[in-house]
């Protein structure tokens, strides 16, 4: 048998229970999601969905902040939830998160290099300043910055793009194999968005880091992704190779998403029309009944 | 011109601070001249800290110290009567606010009072400016809600009971219920999902067409501008660097910054590599001398470092502030610029 996959997500579900004793309500945030990432070929694996589709919950389970209600998440063949102590720390070094808003991810009262230093201390067991600064500078160089530019600066002294790149550098210090990026570009400006997205491509090609890219932006997903899964209300509705799916989506919900992408063909003509959301059956019942079936180009589409 | 509803001339608005004798000046709006015609959607695009929010604060006559108008005029023309909001008194502005000049804000949750029903918010904002009897007022409100495909039932709801898209539609209804001639929209769809965003944008356009109002639409998202606006201004570091009919911006932009913005847009079906702009936006407290874009510009020359380019008029209602507007850009920096949109 070959080596276990880097990350193996099998039939993972997450149910949140809300309300008190009398008004208990269960919310199925993620429903039986399965996919695997291989060790040999680093890729950009994209999870697309609107708010409430469960994409952030899925991400939190992948980097170990949430425990699935049922199903298994294995990293290099071992259950993520079962790891404790030093074993868990070793896992955290290999799977690193990046968050949406860099201004919220950094404490405004602390210098940003403190975060980099504490990451180096914790994961690389660096004790002296020199031991810490080597990896910090290297990680910053990967994102096009240097320790000189960042050292001693507070978050407000850096631009949004610099800060998001510093957040990515922080994630790179422990030399992870997977970076989970939850909406990393939805808060940054258009001109910086491509800088971040191009950086992900470079990390994949040059450092061999697999990126799990979570977004609702189909255009950047098309630009960088190798594979995608499209989620609706906790269910995967379509998954497989990114470009064929985004060029010709088959599930009605994926088609609705594609239709809603603002195009540039009629720029300035003011021809914008509604998405036609009402005509697509977006009810939860239709999703629960359906199941994923193989279709063309090696994709899976929910039918039924 | 008779058709203008808003004329801005030589507007300079700065944040002037003086802490413990140390003076600091942030030139958020620096020498802006533009006009908005009746019945058009005028877009303003620019990155964060380019001064676009400060500019619309002036347009909305919502200026509070340390922000001050240093120079220039901001003249609205409602019912043929000009009013310069840069110099008008509070009571004069109160008369036009909401009835003639209204505002769609970004965070719908912070506009609607979370502990009061939507109904009370409508009463607070719109009852007095509309000047109708109570029954006629609610009838008008409900008719207007129907235009935005909202049930009259939303009036009884609390804001948290509505979805994000519905709440944003409620704030649009609130801003347009008095049939204002001029609406300022500040990133109204930035927090919404793609599907909801398209619906909300289509409704803004529908309402604007139905009322014949003028809208100033601010967002950094170029794809939104492409679909909603008629004319578009690109703002960089407190100045308008290019202004043209929206289609011209997307097909025949001349300023290197605009050309970069358009060329770097990712599109489904297009696999070519997209460039990213290096460097960072300049600080408005210490802007670079000369053209403010020159440190990041791929075709800057010596003159750009010394002189400030003026916004020059070209044929087709196109204005550009660049000495090198007729130069080609190096191919490795900007891709697909000359390719027309199919």
């Amino acid at each position: 048998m070959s080596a276990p996959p880097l990350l193996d997500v099998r039939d993972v579900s997450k149910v949140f229970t809300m309300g008190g004793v009398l008004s208990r309500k269960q919310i199925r945030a993620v429903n039986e999601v399965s996919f695997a990432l291989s060790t040999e070929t680093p890729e950009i694996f994209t999870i697309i969905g609107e708010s409430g589709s469960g994409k952030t919950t899925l991400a939190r389970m992948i980097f170990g902040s949430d425990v699935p209600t049922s199903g298994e998440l294995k990293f290099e063949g071992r259950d993520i939830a079962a790891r404790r102590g030093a074993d868990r720390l070793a896992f955290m070094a290999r799977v690193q998160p990046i968050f949406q808003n860099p201004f919220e991810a950094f404490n405004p009262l602390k210098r940003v290099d403190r975060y980099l230093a504490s990451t180096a201390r914790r994961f690389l067991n660096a004790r002296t300043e020199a031991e810490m600064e080597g990896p910090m500078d290297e990680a910053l160089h990967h994102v096009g910055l240097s320790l000189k530019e960042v050292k001693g600066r507070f978050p407000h002294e850096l631009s949004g793009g610099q800060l998001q790149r510093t957040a990515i550098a922080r994630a790179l210090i422990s030399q992870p194999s997977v970076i989970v990026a939850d909406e990393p570009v939805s808060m940054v400006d258009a001109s910086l968005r491509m800088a971040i997205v191009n950086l992900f491509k470079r990390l994949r090609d040059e450092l061999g880091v697999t990126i799990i890219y979570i977004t609702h932006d189909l255009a950047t997903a098309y630009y960088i992704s190798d594979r995608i899964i499209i989620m609706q209300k906790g269910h995967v509705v379509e998954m497989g190779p990114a470009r064929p799916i985004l060029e010709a989506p088959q599930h009605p919900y994926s088609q609705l998403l594609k239709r809603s992408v603002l195009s540039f063909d009629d720029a300035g003509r003011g021809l914008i029309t509604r998405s036609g959301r009402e005509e697509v059956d977006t009810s939860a019942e239709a999703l629960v009944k359906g199941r994923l079936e193989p279709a063309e180009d090696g994709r899976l589409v929910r039918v039924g | 011109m008779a058709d203008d509803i808003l004329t801005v001339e030589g507007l300079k608005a700065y944040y002037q601070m003086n802490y413990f004798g140390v003076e600091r000046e942030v030139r958020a709006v620096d020498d802006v001249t533009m006009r908005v015609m009746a019945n058009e959607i005028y877009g303003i695009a620019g990155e964060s800290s380019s001064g676009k929010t400060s500019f619309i604060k002036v347009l909305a006559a919502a200026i509070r110290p340390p922000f001050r108008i240093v120079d220039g005029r901001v003249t609205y023309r409602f019912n043929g009567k000009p009013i310069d909001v840069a110099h008008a008194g509070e009571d004069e502005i109160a008369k036009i606010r909401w009835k003639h000049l209204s505002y769609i804000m970004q965070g719908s949750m912070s506009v609607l009072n979370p502990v009061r029903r939507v109904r009370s918010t409508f009463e607070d904002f719109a009852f007095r400016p509309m000047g109708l009897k109570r029954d006629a007022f609610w009838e008008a409100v409900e008719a207007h809600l129907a235009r935005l495909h909202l049930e009259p039932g939303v009036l009884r709801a609390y804001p948290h009971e509505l979805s994000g898209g519905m709440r944003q539609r409620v704030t649009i209804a609130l801003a347009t219920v008095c049939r204002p001639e001029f609406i300022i929209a500040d990133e109204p769809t930035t927090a919404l999902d793609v599907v909801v965003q398209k619906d909300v944008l289509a409704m803004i356009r529908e309402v604007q067409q139905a009322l014949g109002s003028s809208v100033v639409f601010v967002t950094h998202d170029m794809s939104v501008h492409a679909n909603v606006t008629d004319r578009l201004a690109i703002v960089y570091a407190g100045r308008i660097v290019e202004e043209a009919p929206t289609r011209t911006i997307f097909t025949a932009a001349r300023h290197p910054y605009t050309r970069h913005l358009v060329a770097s847009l990712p599109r489904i079906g297009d696999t070519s590599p997209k460039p990213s702009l290096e460097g960072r936006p300049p600080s408005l407290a210490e802007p670079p001398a000369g053209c403010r874009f020159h440190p990041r510009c791929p075709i800057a020359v010596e003159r750009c470092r010394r002189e400030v380019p003026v916004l020059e008029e070209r044929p087709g209602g196109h204005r550009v502030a660049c000495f090198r507007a007729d130069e080609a850009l190096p191919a490795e920096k900007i891709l697909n610029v000359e390719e027309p949109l199919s």
Side-chain angles (χ1 to χ4, degrees):
Chain A
M1 221 184 99
S2 63
L6 184 65
L7 181 74
D8 191 7
V9 177
R10 191 156 305 162
D11 297 327
V12 164
S13 301
K14 177 79 189 177
V15 181
F16 291 107
T17 308
M18 284 176 51
V21 183
L22 298 174
S23 59
R24 184 148 300 181
K25 231 173 48 181
Q26 291 205 321
I27 294 173
R28 300 189 73 85
V30 175
N31 250 295
E32 293 176 3
V33 175
S34 300
F35 65 89
L37 303 178
S38 102
T39 317
E40 292 86 42
T41 43
E43 62 177 325
I44 296 180
F45 186 85
T46 299
I47 304 173
I48 289 182
E50 56 186 0
S51 36
S53 64
K55 55 192 196 305
T56 297
T57 307
L58 181 58
R60 289 176 57 83
M61 290 192 283
I62 292 169
F63 60 73
S65 280
D66 268 342
V67 179
T69 312
S70 65
E72 270 186 329
L73 276 135
K74 284 183 173 173
F75 184 74
E76 294 180 328
R78 295 180 42 224
D79 197 353
I80 294 172
R83 289 168 180 251
R84 293 280 180 275
D87 194 21
R88 183 170 166 79
L89 200 63
F91 161 75
M92 285 162 73
R94 303 287 307 283
V95 180
Q96 281 282 323
I98 300 169
F99 299 101
Q100 181 172 8
N101 190 343
F103 290 99
E104 284 173 10
F106 288 95
N107 182 334
L109 300 177
K110 288 183 179 169
R111 293 173 213 275
V112 292
D113 53 316
R114 261 185 73 168
Y115 282 91
L116 301 168
S118 68
T119 305
R121 204 160 43 232
R122 175 147 238 227
F123 291 122
L124 304 178
N125 216 5
R127 285 291 165 261
T128 64
E129 192 138 322
E131 269 176 13
M132 282 185 250
E133 285 188 352
M136 282 161 66
D137 198 35
E138 197 191 321
L140 285 163
H141 271 290
H142 287 310
V143 301
L145 293 168
S146 66
L147 188 56
K148 261 217 312 267
E149 288 174 73
V150 169
K151 197 166 184 186
R153 300 286 200 100
F154 285 100
H156 73 265
E157 294 178 280
L158 299 173
S159 69
Q162 280 177 314
L163 213 50
Q164 191 61 303
R165 280 192 287 177
T166 309
I168 297 170
R170 190 213 56 79
L172 287 172
I173 285 179
S174 61
Q175 299 183 321
S177 4
V178 179
I179 285 183
V180 183
D182 191 358
E183 304 247 15
V185 294
S186 56
M187 295 298 290
V188 300
D189 289 317
S191 67
L192 296 167
R193 186 179 310 165
M194 292 321 283
I196 303 282
V197 164
N198 282 332
L199 175 61
F200 285 149
K201 268 187 156 175
R202 266 209 358 254
L203 296 181
R204 174 195 62 188
D205 300 338
E206 290 170 19
L207 299 181
V209 179
T210 288
I211 312 262
I212 297 179
Y213 175 56
I214 297 165
T215 187
H216 59 246
D217 178 8
L218 272 68
T220 55
Y222 180 88
Y223 179 63
I224 61 166
S225 313
D226 298 298
R227 287 193 293 158
I228 61 165
I229 63 179
I230 298 177
M231 290 182 73
Q232 182 199 358
K233 295 187 176 154
H235 296 262
V236 173
V237 296
E238 194 159 352
M239 66 185 284
R243 285 186 175 160
I245 287 185
L246 290 172
E247 277 163 15
Q250 287 182 358
H251 189 273
Y253 179 71
S254 328
Q255 289 169 345
L256 171 67
L257 279 182
K258 164 97 189 269
R259 263 206 314 279
S260 304
V261 174
L262 298 171
S263 92
F264 299 96
D265 297 344
D266 287 313
R269 298 212 166 111
L271 296 176
I272 189 162
T273 52
R274 302 248 178 93
S275 62
R277 180 166 41 143
E278 298 76 19
E279 289 137 45
V280 179
D281 183 7
T282 52
S283 66
E285 294 80 50
L287 286 165
V288 175
K289 272 191 299 183
R291 53 187 194 284
L292 286 169
E293 299 257 312
E296 62 196 65
D297 311 311
R299 70 175 86 172
L300 295 171
V301 182
R302 186 168 287 271
V303 291
Chain B
M1 250 174 69
D3 270 336
D4 291 354
I5 188 152
L6 167 70
T7 331
V8 178
E9 290 162 282
L11 177 71
K12 290 182 182 174
Y14 301 162
Y15 293 87
Q16 291 173 327
M17 286 152 284
N18 188 337
Y19 294 128
F20 310 114
V22 180
E23 278 187 42
R24 209 171 114 93
E25 192 172 70
V26 176
R27 302 181 173 191
V29 181
D30 211 359
D31 206 1
V32 167
T33 297
M34 50 82 88
R35 55 197 175 81
V36 177
M37 291 178 277
N39 197 13
E40 75 165 347
I41 301 190
Y42 183 93
I44 297 178
E47 32 194 6
S48 34
S49 72
S50 63
K52 58 189 194 314
T53 302
S54 302
F55 180 50
I56 56 175
K57 267 191 199 163
V58 178
L59 295 190
I63 295 174
R64 302 278 173 277
F67 193 40
R68 286 184 189 91
I69 292 178
V70 175
D71 196 14
R73 278 198 298 275
V74 180
T75 316
Y76 285 98
R77 197 173 281 277
F78 297 125
N79 303 329
K81 218 177 83 196
I83 169 170
D84 179 359
V85 295
H87 300 100
E90 247 341 284
D91 50 334
E92 277 177 272
I93 290 167
K95 271 186 215 146
I96 60 160
R97 186 164 279 150
W98 226 257
K99 192 169 168 57
H100 298 288
L101 172 66
S102 80
Y103 199 152
I104 303 172
M105 272 156 279
Q106 181 174 6
S108 53
M109 212 53 195
S110 47
V111 178
L112 303 172
N113 189 334
V115 295
R116 301 184 74 198
R117 294 181 199 270
V118 170
R119 188 185 182 85
S120 334
T121 309
F122 266 91
E123 205 169 304
D124 293 347
F125 274 84
F127 185 66
R128 282 220 307 171
M130 280 178 78
L132 293 173
K133 288 250 164 56
R134 205 154 278 271
D135 288 349
F137 170 70
W138 289 116
E139 216 167 277
V141 168
E142 284 177 17
H144 189 67
L145 286 173
R147 195 178 276 142
L148 285 150
H149 304 262
L150 289 165
E151 304 277 326
V154 298
L155 289 171
R156 285 194 305 275
Y158 285 99
H160 72 266
E161 294 174 311
L162 305 172
S163 70
M166 270 168 102
R167 267 204 306 270
Q168 199 57 340
R169 264 146 68 197
V170 168
T171 58
I172 293 167
L174 193 58
T176 51
V177 67
C178 302
R179 309 180 73 96
E181 287 102 319
F182 200 89
I183 302 161
I184 298 163
D186 183 10
E187 306 252 11
T189 60
T190 304
L192 302 176
D193 286 315
V194 275
V195 179
V196 182
Q197 165 171 289
K198 191 167 189 212
D199 287 341
V200 171
L201 290 174
M203 278 177 207
I204 291 178
R205 182 92 204 169
E206 280 169 27
V207 169
Q208 181 267 334
Q209 299 280 312
L211 303 182
S213 322
S214 302
V215 178
V216 164
F217 198 107
V218 179
T219 176
H220 69 267
D221 190 336
M222 293 296 280
S223 63
V224 171
H225 282 302
N227 284 277
V228 175
T229 60
D230 299 307
R231 286 198 301 141
L232 183 54
I234 310 290
V235 175
Y236 188 82
R239 290 198 179 126
I240 293 179
V241 294
E242 186 157 14
E243 180 200 66
T246 303
R247 192 156 184 83
T248 309
I249 293 280
F250 283 91
T251 52
R254 294 318 313 169
H255 197 282
Y257 178 62
T258 317
R259 286 147 94 184
H260 166 80
L261 278 183
V262 174
S264 66
L265 294 168
R267 301 164 198 216
I268 291 178
D270 176 2
T271 55
S272 63
K274 300 290 177 191
S276 46
L277 192 62
E278 294 309 314
R280 56 181 296 187
S283 152
L284 291 168
E286 295 156 83
C291 170
R292 290 181 176 178
F293 185 62
H294 86 255
R296 297 167 88 186
C297 182
I299 53 168
V301 290
E302 193 45 44
R303 190 180 174 197
C304 307
R305 286 176 248 284
R306 284 180 283 110
E307 283 176 56
V308 179
V310 286
L311 199 58
E312 264 178 72
E313 189 93 37
R314 303 170 139 246
H318 192 168
R319 295 194 295 162
V320 188
C322 180
F323 298 123
R324 311 264 292 159
D326 295 310
E327 302 293 317
L329 292 172
E332 70 273 15
K333 296 274 187 192
I334 299 280
L335 302 144
N336 308 328
V337 173
E338 303 304 330
E339 206 176 82
L341 297 166
S342 57

